[in-house]
Amino acid sequence: IPVSPDCKVIVALGTIESTRLALLSFGQDGRIGSNLIAHLRSNIDFRVPRAALATLSPAIKALQSSALFVKGQHKFTRADGTEDGTVGHFHFQITASGLGNVDTNSEAELFQKIPDIDTVNQHLHATDSHIVITIRGIGEMEPNNPSSNVTLDLNPSQTDYGERKAYVNLRTTAKDMQLWDAMDKASDELAAAFANGQKIDVIVRNK
């Protein structure tokens, strides 16, 4: 579609397909598709006895759900252990629900656009003995990594509607791995803080 020289075109179709469109339209100039970054992700689901939350009154039987957002950062170090002056950032998305001692879903009472009334009533009248918590760690990858980019597929036979498909190259750096390890360590420390000396039952851990 012809456009005037002074107009602005905004492409908002998602990172990969938008880059593919730009590459097909303007060619591979070495800049389009560069600086691809994603998020470092780690999740842990665990259960702790409600006694870990010392401020909860034993008179309260059915506990509610909650969500929390926690920011963190890591000072990068060199091989000799000294700081190199740069900082990486991550955050935690945390959800928790009061449930029975065999339940494992920290979102059992969250994100229900059309709730099942019977299920909700069961939760409201239950005697919750444990807290099920999910900590989702999300870290920022290092920018300007020349090994991470989007290009047109090197195989010309890989096409979609007659046009070359996109090919994604995503590589972690040493700093990415250092931040990932620091984020996981902070996640474990956060879980221990929630447990408050009580037993932690890890349900699922993903990285």
Side-chain angles (χ1 to χ4, degrees), residues 1-183:
I1 300 174
V3 294
S4 61
D6 59 345
C7 80
K8 294 182 179 179
V9 178
I10 299 175
V11 180
L13 190 63
T15 301
I16 307 304
E17 287 304 311
S18 294
T19 303
R20 174 176 177 249
L21 177 60
L23 289 168
L24 291 171
S25 300
F26 306 111
Q28 303 188 65
D29 63 355
R31 294 179 298 171
I32 298 175
S34 63
N35 197 28
L36 176 66
I37 56 175
H39 286 120
L40 309 169
R41 293 295 305 270
S42 291
N43 292 351
I44 180 173
D45 296 281
F46 61 98
R47 182 175 50 225
V48 297
R50 65 175 290 163
L53 280 70
T55 57
L56 281 178
S57 169
I60 301 174
K61 300 301 182 183
L63 303 178
Q64 297 185 10
S65 298
S66 63
L68 183 66
F69 181 87
V70 178
K71 291 184 177 181
Q73 66 179 26
H74 170 69
K75 295 180 179 180
F76 289 113
T77 58
R78 304 181 183 89
D80 62 2
T82 60
E83 295 179 5
D84 69 2
T86 60
V87 177
H89 296 86
F90 59 88
H91 68 264
F92 296 121
Q93 298 173 355
I94 306 166
T95 54
S97 288
L99 299 169
N101 62 356
V102 296
D103 297 302
T104 60
N105 183 8
S106 69
E107 298 171 357
E109 300 171 46
L110 293 172
F111 311 123
Q112 297 186 57
K113 292 182 179 179
I114 305 177
D116 182 327
I117 299 301
D118 293 334
T119 302
V120 172
N121 284 335
Q122 288 175 11
H123 286 303
L124 292 177
H125 292 91
T127 300
D128 294 327
S129 60
H130 287 68
I131 313 295
V132 179
I133 303 172
T134 298
I135 301 177
R136 296 178 180 83
I138 303 173
E140 297 179 355
M141 293 185 75
E142 184 180 11
N144 301 314
N145 178 1
S147 297
S148 293
N149 51 57
V150 179
T151 66
L152 294 179
D153 200 298
L154 299 180
N155 184 349
S157 67
Q158 294 295 316
T159 60
D160 193 8
Y161 296 99
E163 298 290 353
R164 191 83 63 88
K165 287 184 176 182
Y167 189 85
V168 177
N169 302 283
L170 189 62
R171 300 286 185 272
T172 54
T173 66
K175 281 190 172 182
D176 291 335
M177 300 309 297
Q178 188 180 141
L179 179 65
W180 211 338
D181 289 340
M183 182 176 71

